[in-house]
Amino acid sequence: MADRAGRTRWTSPLRRRRGPGWAEQTPTWRAARPALIADTLKRASARPSGNWFVVGASRDVRPGRPYGRTVGGVEVVLWRSPAGELRAGPGACPHLGAPLRDGRVVCGTLVCHWHGLALDGSAFAGWQPYPAHDDGVLVWVRLDAVGGEEPSERPLVPARPAPGSGVDAVFTAVGRCEPQDVVANRLDPWHGSWFHPYSFVDLTVVREPQGDEGCEGGEGGEEGEGGDAFEVDVSFRVAGRLVVPVRAEFTAPEPRTVVMRITDGEGATSVVETHATPLTAADAEQPRTAVIEAVVAASDRTGFALARAAAPVLRPLMRQTAGRLWRDDLAYAERRWELRSTGRFPG
């Protein structure tokens, strides 16, 4: 309906929905077939990553200071040039092995705090830079020895709302599991309203993966395997009976990434990217994996400009919401790894 000025009348994105009690929900265990989840995971694991790994949030690599992370058992350090360009390389000083993450960045040069050895990002005796990429939300590093695949020039960055049109936040947590356990959790949407009743109501899977049919473009290549997707109708719980109903799609464009995209309803085009980055080497007895989740929220509502302006205030709240979910989902992933590692996995 339009008012006299010809403008669309405002409507609330919230709906009142009682929903069934937790125990009165329709059981989903028959639909959550282990073989289906395993097959979808297997196809995701076979897709190329180009040896690119998400290291953290773009804003975590600040001018003037290095940022360190261990990926697949390899120490990595990242920093920025005076122009803000991302640089990366081994995290151990080639002189005596000092942790370069504890050094300083002076005029774009990384200076070791043990003896003052300076690295400008180019090759140095015993030290070779790593390819790195900053997509504006996340930073990536290419580790060919860890990935073991054919390297690609750029990572597979999922399609997102147009730059500057959304509000993004990045949450990181670490669990005792492997990346596949994190991905498998995300490829099981049926657990949503059972395991996370505080966040989801009336979650229904309306389409299951059909295999690799069609695709959807991403920045670094082909993002999704369009036919190989879960499509769900779900209501996000806001408070009490107030919910926001949407339709969303889950795809796994590469072995360590699952993308949830809202395709219809409030916030259409918004994405939640879950990246699982191994911290330990592949043969580690006690594997550890970092869940690095990027939320990019968008809306075509006029008032969303206020949300963009308030992004510094909203980001901690967005990370808090993600943290509540991952408190449970990491328990799921860790349990899956525990059962697999002891030969008791039922799937």
Side-chain angles (χ1 to χ4, degrees):
M1 182 181 296
D3 59 21
R4 293 180 179 178
R7 293 175 295 183
T8 302
R9 190 177 299 278
W10 181 85
T11 58
S12 172
L14 301 176
R15 301 290 184 271
R16 288 182 62 86
R17 184 165 298 171
R18 179 185 297 274
W22 183 83
E24 284 74 43
Q25 298 182 88
T26 301
T28 58
W29 65 270
R30 288 186 176 86
R33 303 187 301 281
L36 172 62
I37 297 171
D39 287 347
T40 308
L41 176 63
K42 182 178 180 180
R43 290 192 296 273
S45 300
R47 293 175 189 135
S49 72
N51 300 328
W52 288 94
F53 297 82
V54 171
V55 181
S58 177
R59 63 177 58 88
D60 286 343
V61 187
R62 305 174 185 177
R65 65 178 65 179
Y67 178 82
R69 169 79 73 180
T70 299
V71 178
V74 175
E75 273 190 273
V76 177
V77 66
L78 302 95
W79 75 99
R80 294 193 184 278
S81 72
E85 297 173 346
L86 189 65
R87 294 171 174 169
C93 179
H95 174 224
L96 285 176
L100 292 173
R101 65 178 180 273
D102 295 333
R104 297 185 183 181
V105 178
V106 180
C107 297
T109 298
L110 177 58
V111 181
C112 176
H113 67 303
W114 278 14
H115 302 92
L117 186 147
L119 299 166
D120 63 6
S122 58
F124 189 86
W127 192 94
Q128 286 288 333
Y130 295 137
H133 181 76
D134 185 345
D135 65 31
V137 177
L138 299 168
V139 288
W140 307 65
V141 66
R142 198 184 82 196
L143 300 174
D144 295 338
V146 176
E149 301 177 12
E150 184 71 23
S152 61
E153 183 178 355
R154 303 182 76 181
L156 189 67
V157 179
R160 297 172 180 154
S165 66
V167 175
D168 67 270
V170 179
F171 169 81
T172 300
V174 176
R176 193 181 70 171
C177 59
E178 294 177 335
Q180 67 155 296
D181 302 302
V182 173
V183 174
N185 168 269
R186 278 297 184 258
L187 296 180
D188 169 20
W190 292 279
H191 78 267
S193 58
W194 283 100
F195 206 32
H196 309 294
Y198 46 82
S199 291
F200 305 120
V201 180
D202 297 339
L203 190 152
T204 303
V205 176
V206 296
R207 180 166 66 92
E208 298 177 355
Q210 302 298 316
D212 293 340
E213 301 170 0
C215 59
E216 180 181 350
E219 180 182 324
E222 301 303 328
E223 177 207 297
E225 314 305 337
D228 203 22
F230 290 97
E231 196 168 23
V232 305
D233 285 338
V234 59
S235 295
F236 291 96
R237 190 187 298 276
V238 177
R241 297 180 184 177
L242 295 177
V243 302
V244 178
V246 302
R247 174 161 287 190
E249 184 178 79
F250 289 79
T251 56
E254 56 112 280
R256 294 176 293 274
T257 300
V258 176
V259 180
M260 185 210 76
R261 175 172 288 103
I262 296 179
T263 57
D264 190 37
E266 187 66 26
T269 73
S270 298
V271 298
V272 177
E273 302 172 15
T274 303
H275 301 273
T277 298
L279 303 183
T280 48
D283 58 354
E285 291 186 7
Q286 298 290 330
R288 297 174 71 244
T289 294
V291 175
I292 304 172
E293 187 161 273
V295 179
V296 186
S299 174
D300 58 4
R301 291 178 178 269
T302 303
F304 191 71
L306 297 176
R308 290 197 299 271
V313 177
L314 291 176
R315 286 190 182 106
L317 298 176
M318 294 166 71
R319 287 193 292 267
Q320 183 179 17
T321 299
R324 189 179 186 188
L325 284 169
W326 276 108
R327 177 195 63 195
D328 292 334
D329 280 339
L330 270 178
Y332 178 127
E334 290 176 338
R335 174 67 172 175
R336 186 180 188 274
W337 175 80
E338 177 187 356
L339 294 177
R340 286 194 307 107
S341 65
T342 56
R344 296 181 291 152
F345 186 59

